C-alpha cells in the first residue's frame, strides 16, 4: 500500500497506484525538521477518527484524509495486522497535522526519526 523512506532530510510516503485515488497524491514529502514526534501504534486503524475523504474497508484498512472533530488533519494509510506510526508535525506545512501509517518496519522508522528529530 505504501513505502516510507527517509533521505536527505525528507520523509517520503509513496502510495501504490490504487491508493493514490484515495490519498490524493502519489508521494507525500515532509521535511524531517517539521516533525515534532513519531510514536508507535499497535492499532493504527483506531487512530483515524472524524470526517473522512477516502476509503474504509471496515476492520481491514483506511486510506485517505481524516479530519478530527477538533480540526486535526491526518493523512491515513492504515491496515489491520500491521504495526503503525503516528507522526505529528510541528505545523501544517506538509498539508497535514499528522500522518498515521501502517508499515512493516514501524519501529525501525520510528527509531530513525527519533535520531534526527530534536
Amino acid at each position: 500500500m505504501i513505502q516510507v523512506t527517509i533521505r536527505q532530510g525528507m520523509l517520503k510516503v509513496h502510495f501504490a497506484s490504487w491508493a493514490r485515488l484515495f490519498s490524493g497524491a502519489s508521494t507525500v514529502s515532509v521535511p524531517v525538521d517539521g516533525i515534532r514526534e513519531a510514536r508507535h501504534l499497535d492499532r493504527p486503524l483506531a487512530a483515524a477518527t472524524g470526517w473522512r475523504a477516502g476509503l474504509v474497508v471496515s476492520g481491514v484498512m483506511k486510506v485517505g484524509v481524516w479530519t478530527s472533530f477538533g480540526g486535526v488533519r491526518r493523512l491515513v494509510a492504515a491496515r489491520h495486522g500491521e504495526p503503525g506510526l503516528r507522526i505529528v508535525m510541528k505545523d501544517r506545512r506538509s498539508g497535514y497535522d499528522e500522518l498515521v501509517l501502517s508499515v512493516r518496519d514501524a519501529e525501525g522508522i520510528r527509531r530513525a526519526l527519533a535520531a534526527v528529530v530534536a
Side-chain angles (χ1 to χ4, degrees):
M1 180 166 53
I2 63 168
Q3 181 181 18
V4 177
T5 58
I6 304 168
R7 289 193 189 116
Q8 300 175 341
M10 296 295 285
L11 172 88
K12 292 190 178 188
V13 181
H14 306 275
F15 289 88
S17 57
W18 67 267
R20 293 174 188 168
L21 298 170
F22 305 103
S23 68
S26 60
T27 302
V28 173
S29 298
V30 176
V32 171
D33 66 358
I35 296 173
R36 176 175 292 134
E37 69 176 307
R39 290 180 281 181
H40 183 270
L41 295 173
D42 290 326
R43 298 176 47 224
L45 284 175
T49 59
W51 297 284
R52 74 169 192 275
L55 170 72
V56 174
V57 179
S58 188
V60 178
M61 75 171 58
K62 294 180 180 180
V63 180
V65 178
W66 268 251
T67 303
S68 74
F69 301 114
V72 175
R73 186 172 158 91
R74 293 180 183 95
L75 176 65
V76 177
R79 185 182 295 239
H80 176 74
E82 284 190 21
L85 289 171
R86 178 189 305 264
I87 300 170
V88 180
M89 306 301 157
K90 291 179 182 174
D91 55 37
R92 212 181 260 191
R93 239 187 311 180
S94 63
Y96 308 100
D97 297 303
E98 297 181 358
L99 306 177
V100 175
L101 309 171
S102 288
V103 289
R104 289 190 180 133
D105 188 23
E107 187 56 28
I109 293 168
R110 189 202 62 77
R111 281 194 305 265
L113 286 172
V116 295
V117 172

